[in-house]
Amino acid sequence: MTATFRLYSDGNYFPRAKRSGFGGYIKNQMDEIIAEVSEEIKDKQYIQNFELLGIIRGLQIAQAKGIKNIISHCDDKTTAMRLKTIFEEGDFPIPQYGKPELYRQI
């Protein structure tokens, strides 16, 4: 049986501070953090998509580590529900500020 890992990610936009970014970490089946990531984003085209960027980067790290089974945890309900719809129904209309290429990467 293949081990299941957990990805916890988050994205934030702080317009007053003119700073934005995402981060996250991966835990193994023993609840130990095995990888972490944190990145600042300066490109405003991703303002509505920081949550997605956190998930993508976490999945990229997992893939590089050879992880085959992972559960992604995201604190943004809208993002989580959109992704759930995509995986269950195969497609859905991308929101106005959404980046279709990011959804496809996930």
Side-chain angles (χ1 to χ4, degrees):
M1 179 179 235
T2 305
T4 299
F5 293 77
R6 295 184 179 276
L7 165 63
Y8 297 88
S9 60
D10 195 9
N12 287 294
Y13 174 55
F14 300 106
R16 289 186 184 166
K18 296 182 181 175
R19 297 185 72 183
S20 306
F22 61 87
Y25 57 92
I26 297 173
K27 284 188 168 185
N28 64 17
Q29 58 277 15
M30 294 174 285
D31 210 32
E32 300 167 328
I33 295 174
I34 62 163
E36 296 178 88
V37 64
S38 177
E39 294 184 31
E40 187 174 341
I41 301 293
K42 295 184 182 188
D43 189 344
K44 292 185 180 190
Q45 73 170 325
Y46 292 111
I47 287 173
Q48 302 292 325
N49 299 278
F50 293 128
E51 295 286 339
L52 296 173
L53 292 171
I55 294 168
I56 289 168
R57 186 69 78 234
L59 292 174
Q60 290 169 340
I61 292 168
Q63 184 178 30
K65 291 186 166 291
I67 294 171
K68 303 287 183 198
N69 294 321
I70 193 161
I71 297 171
S72 178
H73 298 271
C74 168
D75 69 345
D76 183 63
K77 185 177 182 179
T78 302
T79 298
M81 293 307 292
R82 285 180 184 146
L83 289 170
K84 182 177 185 229
T85 301
I86 288 171
F87 286 114
E88 289 178 353
E89 297 176 15
D91 200 17
F92 81 100
I94 301 296
Q96 178 181 0
Y97 299 105
K99 296 284 184 191
E101 66 272 16
L102 298 179
Y103 286 93
R104 280 194 285 281
Q105 282 183 29
I106 293 172

